[in-house]
Amino acid sequence: MNRTDRLYALVEELRAVSPRPRSARWLAARFEVSSRTIERDLGALQEAGVPIWAEPGRTGGYVLDRARTLPPVNLTAAEAVAMAVALHRLAGTPFAGPAATAMRKLVAVLPAADAAEAHHLAGRVHLIGDGPATPVPATVADAVAARRVLRIRYADRAGADSTRVVEPLGYLGNARHWYLLAWCRLRDELRCFRTDRIRAVQALPEVVARELRLTDLDIPHERVRPLSLV
């Protein structure tokens, strides 16, 4: 059994017995590898976002949270690669990190044969470029998700820096740039901050209570298309 097949089988083994634990020694005997190999595999799954944790004690072991995992997914190799290509285009956006973990979670629950076929097809796909030219600082992305007030050092078009306290409310993106939509306390209005002009970021303890209203933004509404998950 190769490592890809074993990772998939580990997830399914832990899912089948959840919420009971399986020890690394038991899993090592089941898959005919060393306990160290099993621990490395489980660590890789945890880094990929699979909700596995260790329970200490003589009867402890590794447990999978079934409520937070996907069952086996019936995607064709072409469908899986199409999703990988789409997620690759998120490089440089606020969602690049979550896209990578989402892809690893998806591959982890593909049946072994489908995962192998998808890997084979992906090896024949080549891309040029890493995505948008204006990356979003990780601190900014985290603050928008956690609704934390930020202190930013921002450069205007002429390159002059200013420090502002802002309330992150969302994003605006186009083919060239990503913008942080935030309430600027200095000007007391909703502003767009181009992410490649944000020179420094500090997250503050204060939580953002304000909600995003695009009517506060001086952009024709017909030009703005909200993201949909359906």
Side-chain angles (χ1 to χ4, degrees):
M1 179 182 292
N2 62 38
R3 188 168 190 252
T4 299
D5 293 346
R6 189 172 64 250
L7 290 174
Y8 170 79
L10 273 170
V11 172
E12 289 310 298
E13 176 64 38
L14 293 176
R15 187 200 308 280
V17 299
S18 179
R20 290 175 292 147
R22 286 289 196 212
S23 69
R25 179 179 297 180
W26 191 97
L27 292 168
R30 165 71 175 78
F31 294 104
E32 300 179 342
V33 294
S34 69
S35 295
R36 184 180 296 273
T37 295
I38 289 295
E39 288 169 355
R40 281 199 298 264
D41 288 348
L42 292 169
L45 289 169
Q46 289 170 326
E47 289 180 6
V50 179
I52 296 172
W53 70 89
E55 287 192 351
R58 186 174 60 83
T59 60
Y62 291 92
V63 178
L64 176 75
D65 184 353
R66 297 182 65 180
R68 298 181 57 203
T69 61
L70 292 168
V73 177
N74 295 318
L75 292 180
T76 67
E79 288 170 339
V81 171
M83 294 183 68
V85 171
L87 293 175
H88 172 83
R89 295 304 181 189
L90 292 176
T93 76
F95 306 101
T101 56
M103 194 68 227
R104 289 195 291 268
K105 287 179 183 179
L106 175 65
V107 173
V109 296
L110 281 175
D114 294 343
E117 186 179 354
H119 280 293
H120 182 67
L121 177 58
R124 303 200 301 271
V125 178
H126 303 277
L127 304 170
I128 297 175
D130 293 327
T134 58
V136 176
T139 305
V140 172
D142 292 343
V144 173
R147 299 181 64 82
R148 295 280 298 278
V149 175
L150 294 176
R151 179 181 289 113
I152 65 173
R153 182 161 55 85
Y154 187 72
D156 63 16
R157 292 181 181 180
D161 284 3
S162 63
T163 300
R164 308 160 186 238
V165 174
V166 301
E167 301 175 26
L169 300 176
Y171 303 106
L172 190 64
N174 59 28
R176 297 182 59 196
H177 301 294
W178 276 84
Y179 298 84
L180 171 67
L181 292 174
W183 193 267
C184 178
R185 292 183 175 177
L186 179 66
R187 298 195 177 185
D188 196 29
E189 63 183 3
L190 183 64
R191 302 282 293 177
C192 291
F193 297 95
R194 227 173 77 175
T195 56
D196 59 325
R197 292 181 180 164
I198 298 176
R199 306 300 194 203
V201 187
Q202 178 188 4
L204 303 178
E206 187 179 350
V207 176
V208 176
R210 196 185 307 269
E211 296 293 338
L212 175 62
R213 296 189 308 173
L214 287 179
T215 53
D216 293 326
L217 195 62
D218 188 21
I219 294 179
H221 295 169
E222 63 272 12
R223 295 184 57 191
V224 181
R225 179 169 55 88
L227 178 68
S228 173
L229 296 182
V230 296

